Amino acid sequence: MKKIILIGRSEAGKTTLKQVLRGEAVEYAKTQSINYYDVVVDTPGEYIQTRHLGGALAVYSYESDVIGLLASATEPFSLFGPCIAATATRPVIGIVTKCDEPGAKVEMAYGWLKEAGCDPIFCVDSVTRRGISEILGYLNR
């Protein structure tokens, strides 16, 4: 299975997605530092939200086979600039999280990730398990 690094804003659903991908029980846990697991690297949202911490994401992305940019369908804006995926040395996939939440704006979050250059883009919900098998299938190729 390919190792994936999960990058996104605080509360985008990175840790919850990590728990589901690893078959763990889902429980809220605030990620305080970069956590390196067998097939997932879970990162705190502050690392993408704070300019001075972004370099750590670049370093850890070299330890991964795939970069996963997460955008919650409930977020009001995106931190990912246009064509940011072109700067990566690994495949960059997009993951729209919280797709089944009330008021989710899936198309908007999908558009942000498409504009960032992510390909493919998965729509997931860690609570309902929507899209999880598709991500696992991609990582198992």
Side-chain angles (χ1 to χ4, degrees), residues 22-42:
R22 296 187 73 229
E24 300 172 351
V26 174
E27 56 185 56
Y28 179 77
K30 172 68 181 113
T31 303
Q32 299 294 325
S33 61
I34 293 177
N35 293 308
Y36 192 87
Y37 300 96
D38 50 357
V39 294
V40 179
V41 178
D42 187 17

Side-chain angles (χ1 to χ4, degrees), residues 26-99:
V26 174
E27 56 185 56
Y28 179 77
K30 172 68 181 113
T31 303
Q32 299 294 325
S33 61
I34 293 177
N35 293 308
Y36 192 87
Y37 300 96
D38 50 357
V39 294
V40 179
V41 178
D42 187 17
T43 65
E46 291 80 6
Y47 278 60
I48 191 70
Q49 293 169 228
T50 307
R51 172 186 245 176
H52 302 294
L53 298 174
L57 296 175
V59 170
Y60 276 92
S61 72
Y62 290 113
E63 298 293 324
S64 302
D65 302 307
V66 177
I67 298 169
L69 300 184
L70 279 71
S72 168
T74 62
E75 291 181 10
F77 61 90
S78 174
L79 293 175
F80 306 121
C83 302
I84 194 169
T87 64
T89 60
R90 306 282 186 275
V92 180
I93 66 170
I95 304 170
V96 178
T97 59
K98 304 182 183 182
C99 289

Side-chain angles (χ1 to χ4, degrees), residues 105-128:
K105 297 178 181 169
V106 175
E107 296 81 19
M108 184 172 62
Y110 188 96
W112 292 333
L113 294 172
K114 183 175 176 123
E115 187 175 88
C118 299
D119 185 39
I121 300 172
F122 300 92
C123 292
V124 305
D125 192 288
S126 295
V127 175
T128 65

